[in-house]
Amino acid sequence: MHYVSTRGNAPTLTFEEAMLTGLARDGGLYVPADVPKMAQSDIAALAGLSYEEVAFRVMRPFLGDSFTDAEFEDIIAKAYASFGHDARAPLVQLGPNHHLLELFHGPTLAFKDFAMQLIGQMFQVALAKRGEKVTIVGATSGDTGSAAIEAFRGLDAVDVFILYPHGRVSEVQRRQMTTPVESNVHALALHGHFDDCQGKLKDMFNDFTFRDEVRLAGVNSINWARVLAQVVYYFSSAVSLGAPAREVSFTVPTGNFGDIFAGYIAKRMGLPIKQLVVATNKNDILHRALSTGDYTTGEVFSTISPSMDIQVSSNFERALFDAYDRDGSAVAQLMDELKGGGFKISQGALQRLQALFVSGRADEAQTSAAITGYLKRTGEILCPHSAVGTYVAEAHIGPDPMITLATAHPAKFPDAVEAATGQRPPLPRRMADLYDRSERVTEVENNLESLETLIRERRTA
Ligand SMILES: *Cc1c(COP(=O)(O)O)cnc(C)c1O
C-alpha cells in the first residue's frame, strides 16, 4: 500500500511516512494509490463486533507494514480507552428513518478525538521505533487544536504548537487548549481568522528549510491518517442499521471536507451508501461549488457553528483529484487559481462530484430553530454543528435510514444552545473543573517569520 500526492509531483510514501509528513512537498495531500475493497460478506461480518474490532478490520488494509497486527491492536485499544461511552460512537434515533451518530464522547467532546487519539498513539509507536522527534504544528478553528493537545500532551517525542484565531473560538475550546500544564504544549492565539491560521501552517510546510530544521509534522485534517480513522464509524453505524443488506445515507456537517471525505472512502471500499449529504452553515462555499461548480472564496462569517467557519476547504482537493481522473497537474492548476480567489470546476468533474455528493446549507436562524425543535420533539440537545446537519438532512430523508453525524457535545457551545433552548448544557462530570484551571497562551501576529522564530525558540524536543 502506498500513497500519492494530489498534485502528482511528490515522492510516493508508505502509510507511516505519509502520516508523519502531513502535507506533501508539492503542496498536495496524500491519498492511497488504490482504495482497498471490502467484500460484502466481510462487511456483514462486522455486525455485533466492538468499535475497536471494526476499527482494526476497516483500517488494517491501508497500513501496509507500518505496524504489526499486535501493535495496531494495542494502538486502537489505547486510543479509545479514554472515551466516556462503551460503544464509542453510539446511535440515537431522532425520528422514523433519522438517526444521530454521537461522535462526542471522546476527551475533548468533539469527533476530532476519534482521529487524534488514534494518531497520537501511532506517532508514539512510529517515532519510538525510529528514535526520532518531531514538531507538530496545527491550525484550528477550535476542535482540532484541543483534540491534538489532548492526544499529544506529555509525549516526549513531540512538541505541539496550535494556532487558533484569537477571540473566535468558544471558551470551552480555548480552555481545553490553554489549560494543559505539560511543557510540550504551546497554544498560540493568532490575530486573524481560521483561514489565516491554516494559511500560515501551509506556508511553514512550504518553507523547506524550516520544515526540515524543526522536523515539522502536521496533524490537521489534511493528514491522511486522520481521514482513515474517521472511515470506521461509517462502517460501524451503517452495519448496526442493517448494511450491507440495506443502503444507508449520511449527512455530515462539514467545512474542511474531512469527515465527509471519510464517508466517500467508506463508499469506495464497498459500504452501500446511498447519499452523502454535505451540510454547511452560512459559509457555504462547498454547497455553492457542488451545486454550480463555482469555487470562489468569499468573506468568512462568524457563526454559532464556528468549527465550520471556513472558506478554503482543504480536503476538497482530494475529491477534486478523483473527479479529475487523478490528474495531479490539473489539480495543481486549480490550486494556483485558488490563490487568485477561486476556480470553476470543469463540467465533467462537476458531474462526477454531483453523482457522489448532494449538499445543503443552514443559516443562523435555521440552525437555532433546529436546536429548539429537536429538543421539543425528541429531548435531544444538539450542538450547533450537529443542528446544521439535522436541518439539512431533513430535505434528504427517504425510505432508507439517514444518519446525521453529531460532531460535538452541546456543552462545548453552551451560549448558542442556551440561546436556542433556555437551557445551559452542563459539561460531563469528568471535565467539570475546566473553568477553574489557569490558562497559558501566547498571542501572535499573522506573520510567518515571527511565528517560525517563536517555534524554533520554544521547541523542547
Ligand atoms: C471540525 C468540526 C467540523 C467540521 O469537520 P470537517 O473536517 O470540516 O469535516 C464540524 N463540527 C465540529 C464540531 C468540528 O469540530
Side-chain angles (χ1 to χ4, degrees):
M1 168 61 64
H2 61 281
Y3 290 82
V4 298
S5 164
T6 50
R7 300 196 193 170
N9 210 3
T12 58
L13 301 180
T14 65
F15 174 82
E16 180 181 307
E17 289 164 342
M19 173 186 81
L20 291 174
T21 301
L23 195 69
R25 286 181 98 90
D26 58 3
L29 312 188
Y30 277 104
V31 287
D34 303 292
V35 174
K37 292 272 180 306
M38 245 172 119
Q40 299 296 292
S41 56
D42 290 339
I43 297 174
L46 300 174
L49 298 185
S50 70
Y51 187 85
E52 284 80 351
E53 289 169 310
V54 174
F56 183 88
R57 294 192 191 185
V58 169
M59 292 190 281
R60 188 73 192 92
F62 289 89
L63 304 187
D65 35 49
S66 292
F67 301 105
T68 66
D69 284 359
E71 278 169 349
F72 191 46
E73 272 170 16
D74 191 48
I75 284 168
I76 293 172
K78 286 189 176 136
Y80 299 116
S82 62
F83 276 49
H85 197 300
D86 280 351
R88 311 309 182 212
L91 275 171
V92 166
Q93 191 158 2
L94 293 178
N97 283 346
H98 194 188
H99 303 261
L100 191 71
L101 181 59
E102 292 186 350
L103 301 176
F104 51 69
H105 295 284
T108 70
L109 308 180
F111 81 93
K112 308 246 175 11
D113 289 323
F114 276 89
M116 212 61 89
Q117 287 292 319
L118 187 84
I119 75 169
Q121 297 301 325
M122 293 202 289
F123 264 68
Q124 190 167 28
V125 172
L127 290 171
K129 278 203 269 189
R130 292 166 164 241
E132 288 176 11
K133 298 187 169 190
V134 295
T135 304
I136 289 172
V137 183
T140 186
S141 54
D143 293 327
T144 297
S146 46
I149 285 173
E150 193 59 41
F152 289 95
R153 62 194 285 184
L155 300 187
D156 36 287
V158 281
D159 270 290
V160 53
F161 291 85
I162 297 297
L163 289 162
Y164 69 84
H166 182 56
R168 293 178 194 278
V169 299
S170 82
E171 185 174 0
V172 174
Q173 290 175 321
R174 191 191 71 231
R175 286 181 170 276
Q176 284 179 337
M177 293 188 276
T178 58
T179 58
V181 295
E182 289 82 356
S183 61
N184 72 327
V185 170
H186 315 269
L188 308 177
L190 183 131
H191 292 153
H193 284 280
F194 168 68
D195 288 328
D196 299 319
C197 298
Q198 188 159 253
K200 283 295 155 293
L201 180 68
K202 284 193 177 157
D203 292 345
M204 282 184 231
F205 271 95
N206 289 323
D207 178 350
F208 293 150
T209 313
F210 176 75
R211 178 174 180 164
D212 294 338
E213 180 193 335
V214 304
R215 290 174 307 265
L216 198 59
V219 296
N220 265 71
S221 64
I222 51 174
N223 192 306
W224 167 256
R226 282 193 49 196
V227 174
L228 179 60
Q230 293 169 188
V231 175
V232 175
Y233 46 69
Y234 286 88
F235 278 91
S236 66
S237 60
V239 166
S240 70
L241 291 178
R246 203 173 174 206
E247 285 190 309
V248 299
S249 295
F250 288 90
T251 300
V252 186
T254 190
N256 229 345
F257 213 75
D259 215 1
I260 186 100
F261 190 78
Y264 161 75
I265 294 292
K267 183 167 173 151
R268 295 231 0 232
M269 288 175 74
L271 188 66
I273 296 179
K274 189 162 193 177
Q275 302 181 84
L276 281 169
V277 185
V278 173
T280 74
N281 66 21
K282 196 172 154 191
N283 296 290
D284 60 356
I285 184 164
L286 285 169
H287 176 51
R288 279 185 283 122
L290 289 168
S291 18
T292 68
D294 179 15
Y295 191 95
T296 305
T297 59
E299 183 195 342
V300 184
F301 299 107
S302 294
T303 72
I304 56 171
S305 47
S307 303
M308 309 196 304
D309 291 349
I310 284 170
Q311 282 291 331
V312 178
S313 184
S314 296
N315 273 293
F316 194 53
E317 180 168 344
R318 289 188 159 113
L320 288 169
F321 184 57
D322 281 359
Y324 278 84
D325 258 337
R326 305 210 133 200
D327 177 350
S329 54
V331 173
Q333 193 189 327
L334 295 178
M335 294 303 135
D336 260 356
E337 289 172 34
L338 180 60
K339 287 186 193 140
F343 55 82
K344 270 239 169 305
I345 302 170
S346 75
Q347 264 313 313
L350 183 60
Q351 274 172 12
R352 285 190 192 152
L353 288 167
Q354 287 176 337
L356 290 163
F357 302 101
V358 289
S359 63
R361 81 195 279 276
D363 66 23
E364 297 288 90
Q366 289 161 336
T367 306
S368 279
I371 298 175
T372 317
Y374 277 92
L375 175 61
K376 207 155 136 200
R377 299 200 306 275
T378 69
E380 284 298 316
I381 301 188
L382 299 172
C383 96
H385 309 79
S386 313
V388 167
T390 57
Y391 175 83
V392 171
E394 280 170 18
H396 298 277
I397 296 174
D400 309 301
M402 169 64 78
I403 299 173
T404 296
L405 272 51
T407 51
H409 191 285
K412 216 165 176 181
F413 303 94
D415 297 337
V417 173
E418 187 173 12
T421 65
Q423 297 180 29
R424 198 161 181 86
L427 283 171
R429 206 177 321 150
R430 61 200 150 99
M431 49 193 75
D433 69 336
L434 188 65
Y435 287 92
D436 306 325
R437 299 179 206 158
S438 62
E439 296 188 72
R440 189 164 57 88
V441 59
T442 308
E443 280 183 38
V444 293
E445 295 306 321
N446 184 10
N447 175 287
L448 182 64
E449 210 176 309
S450 58
L451 268 171
E452 289 184 346
T453 306
L454 181 112
I455 290 170
R456 280 195 187 94
E457 288 171 1
R458 290 275 182 91
R459 221 149 54 90
T460 59

